[in-house]
Amino acid sequence: MFFSKKLNVLGVIWIIICVGVLVFSVIGRNYLERKYDGEMGLNMVMIGESRVAVITLRKESSESGFMILPENLMVKDEKNGSAYRVGSLWGLGKLEHKEGEYTMRVLGDTLGIRITAYIKVNDDSKLNAVAFGESLADLLTGTNLTLWDRYVLKGDVGVKITKGELVETALPEYLMENITELDGFSSKVIVAEKMKLYAQKQFVFSQVLAERVNMAIYNSSEVPGTATKMATSMDNTGIKVVMVEKSEEKTKGCRFKVFREGVGNTVRLLTKTYDCVEADFRELSDKGRVDIELWTGGE
């Protein structure tokens, strides 16, 4: 009888431990894999049935917006050189089973920004700021946001909406030009140079801009233009890119080296938003003429 009771107690303790480990792993994973940095903010995309919106969230400032893109906007996949209607990106991504990732990459390249989160809704009528806040609580699938992200985001978005700081806008017409195909199909394409100037005002991270960082970027991948694309994205966050060069050493991923103190927010942006790793090396070092050197490698 004594041993039977002891085994029962041990069994209960074992169950409690297993449940505790499971709960802790779920909570811990949701925290560690979070996309939303409440202090810095983020850029994300909301995908409807045929329309798409880009959402800029900056908690500590009024630099937030809900920008709906034209249905007939054409965007280019730089990997294959083909142009697609923006509303078709989600469907095209299904071919690789990476619907959200594909949409974020192609749209981010077109706008010259880093998009780190997506949310999918099945009804274009939900493509507005208020419905966006509601979707964060109701949506069970179709997003890469963790439960932690959605809990924090819902509160921050609610405050933004109440203050009137999450403003619904459309992509300005002057950024695009109209084109007509041979079959008479009319569409719009973004003018890259105009978009770059617009993005430097619309998508900047004010904390990063305040640190006045000068950066050198080296292409350590096999793909030409990788560093130039990264430079555009960095410029649009508030970092000043003063040098873009090719690296003889070929690496994977994104690495950077810091040469100045007081750039904590920039480092935070690089690690949290761009998935870069701070490395202790000086290959092609500019010996302090820049604040940060960054190597962008292959996948």
Side-chain angles (χ1 to χ4, degrees):
M1 180 69 70
F2 173 76
F3 287 106
S4 178
K5 288 183 178 180
K6 188 173 182 181
L7 288 173
N8 286 336
V9 171
L10 290 174
V12 171
I13 293 174
W14 175 248
I15 291 173
I16 292 174
I17 291 174
C18 290
V19 171
V21 170
L22 178 62
V23 172
F24 180 78
S25 65
V26 170
I27 294 175
R29 187 173 66 252
N30 265 269
Y31 180 79
L32 293 174
E33 295 179 0
R34 66 195 189 281
K35 305 294 180 183
Y36 177 53
D37 186 326
E39 297 303 317
M40 292 288 290
L42 89 169
N43 301 321
M44 69 179 298
V45 60
M46 187 174 189
I47 305 113
E49 187 176 8
S50 60
R51 307 192 69 188
V52 173
V54 177
I55 303 161
T56 308
L57 288 172
R58 304 289 186 266
K59 180 181 177 182
E60 299 301 330
S61 71
S62 58
E63 298 167 358
S64 297
F66 190 96
M67 185 172 66
I68 300 175
L69 304 180
E71 287 186 68
N72 63 340
L73 178 67
M74 302 294 289
V75 292
K76 185 178 180 180
D77 182 348
E78 295 185 4
K79 285 191 174 182
N80 61 27
S82 299
Y84 306 105
R85 208 165 184 172
V86 67
S88 68
L89 294 178
W90 182 269
L92 290 167
K94 285 185 177 180
L95 300 175
E96 302 176 5
H97 303 289
K98 295 181 179 180
E99 298 93 327
E101 291 79 1
Y102 183 80
T103 303
M104 289 190 298
R105 176 178 66 79
V106 176
L107 191 55
D109 288 347
T110 300
L111 300 178
I113 62 175
R114 177 79 166 190
I115 299 175
T116 56
Y118 65 86
I119 184 169
K120 180 73 170 71
V121 293
N122 296 322
D123 189 347
D124 282 348
S125 66
K126 294 183 178 180
L127 222 63
N128 59 70
V130 175
F132 165 62
E134 294 173 350
S135 296
L136 290 169
D138 300 337
L139 196 70
L140 296 178
T141 59
T143 182
N144 65 339
L145 293 170
T146 67
L147 292 174
W148 179 283
D149 283 325
R150 287 154 61 184
Y151 173 75
V152 178
L153 260 173
K154 183 170 175 55
D156 290 349
V157 169
V159 172
K160 287 285 185 185
I161 292 173
T162 301
K163 291 182 177 180
E165 292 180 349
L166 190 58
V167 181
E168 292 182 29
T169 61
L171 189 67
E173 286 291 331
Y174 76 86
L175 298 177
M176 300 172 284
E177 62 181 21
N178 297 307
I179 60 173
T180 303
E181 304 291 345
L182 294 175
D183 60 0
F185 176 76
S186 297
S187 59
K188 297 177 182 292
V189 294
I190 290 176
V191 180
E193 290 304 313
K194 292 182 179 179
M195 185 67 224
K196 183 176 181 179
L197 295 174
Y198 175 78
Q200 288 175 350
K201 297 179 181 179
Q202 182 71 19
F203 300 107
V204 68
F205 290 82
S206 56
Q207 304 99 316
V208 172
L209 181 65
E211 291 180 346
R212 298 180 178 276
V213 169
N214 290 328
M215 176 181 284
I217 301 179
Y218 306 112
N219 185 358
S220 57
S221 76
E222 298 287 352
V223 182
T226 301
T228 300
K229 184 171 68 174
M230 178 67 83
T232 298
S233 184
M234 290 296 164
D235 279 333
N236 295 340
T237 65
I239 297 170
K240 183 179 180 181
V241 179
V242 296
M243 183 188 306
V244 177
E245 292 186 0
K246 181 180 178 181
S247 171
E248 296 302 323
E249 179 186 358
K250 303 306 176 185
T251 62
K252 292 185 177 181
C254 173
R255 299 185 295 168
F256 67 95
K257 178 66 179 176
V258 178
F259 295 93
R260 172 167 78 84
E261 295 182 353
V263 294
N265 286 319
T266 303
V267 170
R268 190 173 177 178
L269 177 80
L270 294 176
T271 56
K272 297 291 185 182
T273 301
Y274 287 85
D275 300 320
C276 296
V277 177
E278 188 168 3
D280 185 17
F281 64 94
R282 288 174 174 268
E283 186 244 1
L284 289 179
S285 172
D286 203 36
K287 302 186 184 304
R289 286 195 295 154
V290 294
D291 303 316
I292 295 178
E293 290 185 336
L294 183 143
W295 286 256
T296 175
E299 296 181 353

